[in-house]
Structure formats: structure tokens, C-alpha cells
Amino acid sequence: MRTGMIAAAAAAALFLAQPATAQDREGWPGSLTIGTASQGGTYFIYGTGLGGLISEALGVNASAEVTGGPVQNATLVETGDHQIGLVTMGPAYDAWNGESELAPGVEHKNLRALFPMYQTPFQIVALKSSGIASVGDLGGKRVSVGPAGGTAATYWPRFFESVGVQPQVSYSGASDAVGQVQDGLIDAFAFAAGVPIAAFAQIAAEADVNIFGFSDEERTKILEQMPELAAFDVPGGLYQGFPDPQGTVALWNFAVAHADMPETLAYEITKLVMENNPRMVQIHATAAETVPENVDKNSFLPYHPGAVRYFDEAGIEIPAELR
């Protein structure tokens, strides 16, 4: 049995190694850096695993680097300091249009999408006793939108403006915000994270709460105004007492590269990730969404020609405006 396992492992390694020996490597770097975020977070785990996979299969020394996250990653790729960056499409959209808080006025027109990663949806929790059951109920209420500078803190105020409500916004970490809801110090907690959101699951198990996203009308309005977002349905059964799906919006995370990355390298990286999903899921469970069918979750950022070549071969349509 041990001999069989060794043979299987060798065969798997050979399978991964084959693409690197068969294509044109002109212009490929000897190493590349992947911009992630802080250690222990999903980006760092995902990026470290991605780097290991690229190193193993393509013979390029790829390593993950701790960064400040999507905003910084977009600029590091734009300037050529990093070859790959992991970004949330919100910060990427701002950077593309020259509205990055890190490099205001600088349009990041060299960013190119490689492949979809996973998505970060938005939800709200409030005690049932508060009477708050929808975004429209939040006018004048005390609402935490997570830590200052985070994705939730950036987007919830935009959402409130879009749907015409004016809550009293405050900032705090997820665990603190849940405690504040339970203690009556705030009326609701609006957040963004992979579902199930642990803080929401905790409070749902301890108290009678309402957990909700957006109505169909609210979601349509938000998506029209903010093309970097995507519609998302939170599956039922993730939180105690909530068996039915709920509609909301989400920001997708994508891997991006500089436009000058050699086409063959971008092709091989995209192909490697898209055709080895079980390996990606071993790196992080969120990679269950790292599949070709999710390329349509990018509505504005052009794909790298190497990525376009792969998706064309795979029969996945890339709109003309994103080529």
C-alpha cells in the first residue's frame, strides 16, 4: 500500500509539473511575489498556498508577502513591485478609477484580472426586541459598521446613502460589536465577511435576533450604482433560526497581475489554479468558489490576455469589453 501511495504522489507531482516543461518561458521571472494581507487571515493562507502551488508546478519561486491588504496590493501590482496581488473588487474598482486612498489621483490602468477567488457578502444583525428587521428600519438607529478602514466600514455608509437611510454610524471590531448589540449599546451591527459570519452565528445562538441583507429593490439600486459588487444569496441554515436563503450583495475577491506579465505565464497560472480546485480547497475552504464559472463576477477589470486565452480554451465566455 505504501508503494502505491508513493507512486500516486509521484504521478500527481508529475502531472503538476508537466505544464512548466512544455510551454514558452520567454520573459518569465525567476521569482514572483504575491501580495496578501496580515498573517493568519484568509488572504495570507490563500496566497501562501497559491505560491507553493506555482513554485511546485511551474518552477517559478513564488512567495506570499504580508501587506496592508487589497488597497495596497492593487498599488503594488500597478507599480510592478509585486507580480500578483489578491484584491477585493471594491478597492480594485477605486484604484482603477484613480480613487485609491493609498494613491489618490493615480488611475491603476495596468491591473489585469487572472481568476476569481471567493466572495465577501454583507449582512446585518439586530435583536428582535429592537424591532429592526430591514435596512429601511435603520434610520436614526445606532449601527456599528465594523472596524474603521475595513471593507464593511467603507461600504455600509455608501449603502445607507444609496437606499436613503441615515443611521448613527460607529466603528468597532466584530466581537465588540456583538457585545454592544447584546448590551443595548448599539441597535444593529452591519458587517462583511465570509459566511457564516462567526460573530453572527454566536449571537444567533445566544439571543433572539434578526439577520438580514437587502430587499430585491434595494439590491437592484445598489448594483446599478456600484458595479464592483455582485448579487449574493446567503444559503439558509447557516444561522440558528434562519432556514431560508437571504438576498444581499457581495464583493468578489480576484487575483490580479500587471499587464506586462508574460502572456504564457499568466496563462499557465490561470490554468493551474482553475484546473486544480481540489488542491486549492486544501489550501483554504473558500477556494470552493475558485472555479471558471465565476469569471462573470468581474464586471469592470480587463482580464490578462493569458487568462483570456485559458478561458477561451475552456469554453468560458469573456465579454468583449473585458478582453
Side-chain angles (χ1 to χ4, degrees):
M1 180 178 295
R2 179 175 175 79
T3 301
M5 292 175 63
I6 293 173
L14 179 61
F15 171 76
L16 285 174
Q18 283 177 342
T21 63
Q23 40 63 60
D24 179 9
R25 300 171 65 96
E26 183 178 354
W28 283 31
S31 63
L32 58 84
T33 303
I34 302 169
T36 61
S38 59
Q39 289 187 358
T42 302
Y43 265 23
F44 186 76
I45 297 169
Y46 191 108
T48 299
L50 172 62
L53 183 60
I54 291 172
S55 299
E56 175 187 341
L58 302 182
V60 177
N61 182 21
S63 59
E65 182 167 312
V66 173
T67 71
V71 173
Q72 186 179 13
N73 292 343
T75 297
L76 287 169
V77 170
E78 173 69 20
T79 60
D81 291 285
H82 286 179
Q83 290 70 49
I84 295 176
L86 309 185
V87 301
T88 310
M89 296 307 272
Y93 184 74
D94 288 343
W96 179 258
N97 290 304
E99 299 172 357
S100 167
E101 61 188 66
L102 183 62
V106 179
E107 294 185 348
H108 290 41
K109 296 302 186 183
N110 288 308
L111 295 181
R112 296 293 183 270
L114 289 178
F115 57 83
M117 294 166 53
Y118 57 89
Q119 56 193 322
T120 300
F122 295 80
Q123 287 187 286
I124 299 177
V125 64
L127 295 178
K128 279 190 177 180
S129 60
S130 71
I132 297 171
S134 70
V135 175
D137 295 331
L138 294 175
K141 302 298 184 179
R142 301 161 300 173
V143 182
S144 172
V145 292
T151 297
T154 298
Y155 273 86
W156 274 110
R158 298 179 186 179
F159 297 156
F160 297 146
E161 182 178 357
S162 176
V163 301
V165 298
Q166 295 182 331
Q168 301 173 32
V169 170
S170 61
Y171 304 92
S172 56
S175 60
D176 289 340
V178 164
Q180 291 168 11
V181 169
Q182 290 177 306
D183 294 340
L185 299 176
I186 60 174
D187 300 302
F189 174 34
F191 200 47
V195 292
I197 300 173
F200 284 24
Q202 173 190 334
I203 193 172
E206 298 173 352
D208 290 331
V209 298
N210 288 325
I211 296 176
F212 54 92
F214 295 101
S215 68
D216 290 344
E217 181 180 355
E218 290 167 343
R219 182 161 71 172
T220 297
K221 183 178 296 185
I222 287 168
L223 293 176
E224 287 176 351
Q225 296 178 3
M226 305 175 204
E228 71 271 29
L229 292 155
F232 184 86
D233 291 321
V234 178
L238 294 184
Y239 305 109
Q240 185 173 314
F242 295 88
D244 300 322
Q246 294 183 344
T248 187
V249 296
L251 279 172
W252 272 85
N253 300 277
F254 269 69
V256 301
H258 194 281
D260 288 343
M261 174 180 279
E263 181 177 332
T264 52
L265 177 57
Y267 169 84
E268 292 294 345
I269 291 173
T270 304
K271 178 180 176 69
L272 178 67
V273 173
M274 293 290 91
E275 296 188 354
N276 286 280
N277 188 252
R279 175 69 174 271
M280 293 299 298
V281 171
Q282 288 179 353
I283 293 168
H284 200 283
T286 56
E289 294 184 308
T290 305
V291 293
E293 291 76 13
N294 286 328
V295 297
D296 63 351
K297 303 307 187 292
N298 163 30
S299 62
F300 71 92
L301 188 63
Y303 279 91
H304 193 287
V308 171
R309 175 185 157 200
Y310 169 74
F311 290 121
D312 281 348
E313 291 179 358
I316 304 295
E317 183 178 357
I318 303 296
E321 64 270 19
L322 298 184
R323 289 175 171 267

